[in-house]
Amino acid sequence: MSEHPSLRLAARADLTAASGLRLLGVVALLLWLAFQWGFGNDALLPTISARAFDAFEDPSVADGVGGDKNWDAGVLAALVAGLAGFVFWTVTQLLDAVVVLMGAQLVPNVIERLGNNLRERGWVKEWHELAWSTRWMIAYGAGASAVCLVDALATGRPGVTGRRWMIVSAALLSSVTVGLLVIAVAAAAVIGLRIEAAQPAT
């Protein structure tokens, strides 16, 4: 039997075993993945950071009449925007990792079958076997939940137990990077608003 029917059978077994609240949990997990791995959090981040930026930026600078250009307000606005992005991203990444690890317990047959297939090919490694650069690439590129899911598939053991350090580390790897990127973009806006020729485009 090929691996694809086996995976389908595993998924069918999990769905057959799921009923009531467990079935609702599987549906909720799929909806959460669609939000988190889609454009849900990515769509909210710019709005949250921009509103934080606007709350501290000197409005007269944005209007093009900002006297001494008030650089202090601009620096503060950029830092606050980055902090807002960092906090938002940290919260969503922590929640994402916990939801995925707990949700994976609802589909044990899929996790076991998929994990076996990936381990045989050497495509997944446990958290402690990954270099920090690899952890960062996965955490930033796909989210903290992807790091946790890789570990769950590599170990064959879903769930949060014993993974607190991994969850927090993966979330911070992602959110610190996001916060720094927001600061960089906000800093470009601060500078652009204070250069007369760049104001219209900014």
Side-chain angles (χ1 to χ4, degrees):
M1 184 179 293
S2 68
E3 64 187 66
H4 296 296
S6 298
L7 186 57
R8 285 199 298 270
L9 288 175
R12 182 181 300 173
D14 285 332
L15 289 176
T16 301
S19 61
L21 292 178
R22 183 167 181 168
L23 182 59
L24 288 177
V26 173
V27 173
L29 173 63
L30 294 175
L31 291 174
W32 175 259
L33 291 178
F35 168 81
Q36 187 70 12
W37 288 0
F39 293 101
N41 57 341
D42 298 287
L44 293 175
L45 175 67
T47 301
I48 291 172
S49 296
R51 288 185 177 179
F53 179 87
D54 289 339
F56 287 87
E57 174 63 299
D58 185 344
S60 65
V61 173
D63 292 337
V65 293
D68 63 354
K69 302 300 184 185
N70 198 356
W71 284 96
D72 290 343
V75 171
L76 180 60
L79 293 176
V80 170
L83 179 61
F86 167 79
V87 171
F88 167 73
W89 211 255
T90 299
V91 171
T92 58
Q93 291 300 304
L94 289 173
L95 181 61
D96 187 30
V98 172
V99 167
V100 168
L101 285 173
M102 293 182 66
Q105 294 178 308
L106 301 175
V107 287
N109 292 303
V110 169
I111 294 297
E112 180 182 2
R113 173 61 63 183
L114 193 55
N116 287 337
N117 289 343
L118 295 175
R119 285 194 298 273
E120 288 174 2
R121 291 165 173 73
W123 290 357
V124 289
K125 290 184 178 180
E126 297 180 27
W127 164 262
H128 69 272
E129 296 176 336
L130 297 173
W132 278 100
S133 58
T134 303
R135 295 174 185 176
W136 173 78
M137 283 189 290
I138 298 174
Y140 175 64
S145 62
V147 177
C148 296
L149 188 58
V150 167
D151 187 72
L153 292 170
T155 60
R157 180 179 58 84
V160 177
T161 304
R163 289 192 167 104
R164 292 180 183 176
W165 165 247
M166 179 186 67
I167 292 171
V168 172
S169 299
L172 289 177
L173 284 173
S174 181
S175 58
V176 167
T177 306
V178 166
L180 292 175
L181 286 174
V182 170
I183 290 175
V185 172
V190 168
I191 295 171
L193 288 172
R194 284 158 177 78
I195 298 175
E196 186 174 351
Q199 282 179 353
T202 302

